[in-house]
């Protein structure tokens, strides 16, 4: 067997595999001999069919199968040994005139080669957000906790900050539903009408005037999003019950209930704990934003060509269903950006030795398991239990893939923080949402 490569250009090559009779004859003969032992052909006892008849009936099929196996193994080994970084898979060149009666065969394959390039971070800085929990957020969170653990006190009329239970009726649209909502959900128009309304009183109001948010209308009327969007009818709202939630006192009983006994002993410590927990969550969001922004910057500023025509042909020929040239080009255009980043990311990982190793992936899985168990009250699980769960997870390919991607994202974020040109910016969460996702 002889394998040669013709370099068409930097991104394309043709590999020629020449197979001679000596390469396949022994395997073909063995396979045909096995066929002879088990062949059932009328007029002959099993195992006594003449070899000539076996070759006539099965020879070409066996030959094609053995040559194809030999060809695939040889090609894969060649790509590995020559360390050829290919995109997609080798595409066989059409051979309509292939003669299976010949002794020697020659096959050609088109290769799309990965481009050579270097990754450099741009001088233009990427914003690295440091999201802080400001006093406004802490005040709101403390009040939310006080409301959650406070006591409901009944009232005879609607007041601000009240919780209202009411029945909503419209006979035309067959609406008859009771729901509870807070006063602050009402629109300005509805708030004026409801303020001071006594229990048992019925208020007539247009459906579009009820709530500031369409989703609240969907919930209280039990209608679909489309129906709620188009709904414009008068609704009779009967106030059934009015309650106001008195805020819970900030005392040791409340602190122990929320954070565990003795963990927090003052409002100041409570606010510090809320701030710490919130900013841990914010850091994850800031890291994801950083990863996305550095990715976009690298794609935009790392220039290299791709074997576009080869890849379009590969997409056209190797999909589940045959594609036209136009469809293949459309698919290529959709996937080109992702392919570019795969190459860039692969280069960064290889150059900087960021590959995920089995032991560190297992340790990462253990950390994930301990976090999950802590949420269910198991703060100090036995090492053996965690080890057993981790090994079960590591035996699941889907879980391994998911955890590997998470760990790799963490590694890349750490690498970008240490090497990319970043510009730190401290913002509140509210400003982060406005600025980062506008």
């Amino acid at each position: 067997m002889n394998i040669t490569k013709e370099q068409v250009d930097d991104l394309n090559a043709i590999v020629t595999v020449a197979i001679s009779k000596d390469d396949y004859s022994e395997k073909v003969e063995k396979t045909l001999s096995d066929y002879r032992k088990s062949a059932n052909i009328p007029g002959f006892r099993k195992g006594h069919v003449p070899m000539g008849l076996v070759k006539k009936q099965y020879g070409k099929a066996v030959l094609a199968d053995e040559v194809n196996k030999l060809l695939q193994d040889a090609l894969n080994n060649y790509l590995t040994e020559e360390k050829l970084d290919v995109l997609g898979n080798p595409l066989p060149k059409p051979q309509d005139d292939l003669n299976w009666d010949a002794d020697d065969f020659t096959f050609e394959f088109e290769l799309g080669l990965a481009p050579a390039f270097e990754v450099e971070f741009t001088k233009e800085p990427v914003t690295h957000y440091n999201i802080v929990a400001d006093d406004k957020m802490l005040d709101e969170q403390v009040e939310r906790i006080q409301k959650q653990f406070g006591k409901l006190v009944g009232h005879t009329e609607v007041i601000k900050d009240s919780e209202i239970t009411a029945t909503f009726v419209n006979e035309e649209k067959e609406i008859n539903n009771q729901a509870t909502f807070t006063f602050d959900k009402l629109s300005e128009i509805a708030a004026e009408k409801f303020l001071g309304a006594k229990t048992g009183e019925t208020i007539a109001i247009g459906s579009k005037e009820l709530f500031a948010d369409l989703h609240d209308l969907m919930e209280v009327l039990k209608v679909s999003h489309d129906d709620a969007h188009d709904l414009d009818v008068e609704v009779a709202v009967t106030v059934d019950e009015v309650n106001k939630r008195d805020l819970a006192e900030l005392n040791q009983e409340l602190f122990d209930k929320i954070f565990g006994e003795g963990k927090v002993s003052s409002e100041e410590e409570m606010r510090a704990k809320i701030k710490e927990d919130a900013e841990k969550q914010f850091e994850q969001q800031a890291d994801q934003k950083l990863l996305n922004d550095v990715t976009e910057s690298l794609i935009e500023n790392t220039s290299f060509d791709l074997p576009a025509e080869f890849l379009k042909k590969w997409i056209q020929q190797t999909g589940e269903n045959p594609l036209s040239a136009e469809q293949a080009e459309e698919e290529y255009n959709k996937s080109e950006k992702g392919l570019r980043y795969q190459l860039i990311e692969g280069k960064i990982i290889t150059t900087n030795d960021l590959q995920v190793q089995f032991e560190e992936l297992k340790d990462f899985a253990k950390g994930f398991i301990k976090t999950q168990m802590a949420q269910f009250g198991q703060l100090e699980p036995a090492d053996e239990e965690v080890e057993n769960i981790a090994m079960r997870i590591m035996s699941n390919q889907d879980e391994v893939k998911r955890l590997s991607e998470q760990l790799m994202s963490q590694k890349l974020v750490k690498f970008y923080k240490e090497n990319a040109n970043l510009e730190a910016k401290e913002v509140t969460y509210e400003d982060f949402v406005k600025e980062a996702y506008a």
Side-chain angles (χ1 to χ4, degrees), residues 2-14:
N2 185 39
I3 303 179
T4 58
K5 177 169 71 75
E6 175 191 352
Q7 194 76 29
V8 178
D9 55 38
D10 289 342
L11 300 174
N12 295 274
I14 294 176

Side-chain angles (χ1 to χ4, degrees), residues 19-22 24 99 102-106:
I19 297 177
S20 67
K21 187 174 182 178
D22 290 341
Y24 63 80
N99 180 14
D103 289 336
D104 301 330
F105 306 98
T106 300

Side-chain angles (χ1 to χ4, degrees), residues 378-397:
Q378 290 183 264
L379 301 179
E380 296 182 3
D383 291 341
E384 184 178 356
E385 182 181 7
V386 174
E387 177 77 18
N388 290 337
I389 297 173
M391 292 311 296
R392 285 201 300 272
I393 289 176
M394 297 293 284
S395 67
N396 184 311
Q397 289 186 353

Side-chain angles (χ1 to χ4, degrees), residues 156-375:
T156 58
E157 64 179 47
V158 176
I159 59 175
K160 290 183 177 179
D161 297 330
S162 59
E163 294 183 10
I164 306 162
T165 300
T167 302
F168 299 80
V169 177
N170 178 274
E171 293 183 0
E172 178 190 351
K173 296 294 183 180
E174 298 182 346
I175 295 170
N176 190 331
N177 188 58
Q178 187 183 67
T180 299
F181 56 94
T182 55
F183 183 84
D184 61 346
K185 298 288 186 181
L186 294 168
S187 70
E188 290 184 12
I189 295 173
E192 288 184 15
K193 289 192 174 186
F194 275 81
L195 191 61
K198 293 181 170 38
T199 53
E201 184 177 338
T202 299
I203 299 166
I205 186 170
S207 57
K208 287 188 175 295
E209 299 173 343
L210 258 171
F211 294 100
D213 190 328
L214 181 68
H215 293 90
D216 293 318
L217 185 68
M218 292 167 53
E219 182 63 29
V220 300
L221 300 187
K222 296 301 179 188
V223 295
S224 68
H225 183 276
D226 290 341
D227 288 342
H229 185 79
D230 297 328
L231 191 65
D232 189 8
V233 296
E234 187 175 89
V235 181
V237 186
T238 302
V239 178
D240 300 323
E241 187 178 341
V242 179
N243 294 292
K244 185 175 184 299
R245 193 174 291 272
D246 286 351
L247 299 181
E249 185 179 349
L250 296 176
N251 55 25
Q252 194 61 48
E253 181 183 355
L254 179 64
F255 300 150
D256 290 347
K257 191 179 294 184
I258 298 169
F259 302 104
E261 189 172 349
K263 298 288 180 66
V264 169
S265 57
S266 67
E267 180 180 353
E268 182 180 3
E269 290 182 9
M270 176 187 185
R271 292 171 70 90
K273 178 64 174 168
I274 293 171
K275 181 179 175 68
E276 178 187 357
D277 291 344
E279 290 180 353
K280 281 182 182 177
Q281 296 182 23
F282 295 160
E283 184 178 5
Q284 294 176 9
Q285 294 186 54
D287 284 351
Q288 186 59 54
K289 176 63 176 169
L290 176 65
L291 184 61
N292 294 343
D293 289 348
V294 173
T295 296
E296 289 296 325
S297 175
L298 288 171
I299 292 172
E300 184 177 343
N301 295 286
T302 306
S303 179
F304 53 81
D305 293 326
L306 292 170
E309 294 308 312
F310 168 84
L311 290 170
K312 291 173 190 176
K313 188 187 297 186
W314 178 73
I315 291 171
Q316 185 178 6
Q317 294 182 15
T318 59
E320 290 185 10
N321 299 308
L323 299 178
S324 67
E326 292 76 13
Q327 290 173 321
E329 180 157 7
E330 184 178 348
E331 288 300 314
Y332 172 76
N333 291 336
K334 288 179 184 177
S335 60
E336 182 186 2
K337 187 175 181 180
L339 175 57
R340 286 183 178 277
Y341 184 65
Q342 285 180 20
L343 292 171
I344 294 169
E345 184 184 84
K347 183 80 170 181
I348 292 172
I349 292 169
T350 303
T351 304
N352 299 281
D353 197 23
L354 300 179
Q355 294 88 347
V356 172
Q357 305 298 331
F358 177 82
E359 285 301 323
E360 64 179 344
L361 182 61
K362 189 169 78 169
D363 288 341
F364 182 72
K366 287 181 180 179
F368 176 77
I369 292 164
K370 289 178 180 178
T371 300
Q372 293 290 100
M373 296 177 79
Q375 292 178 1

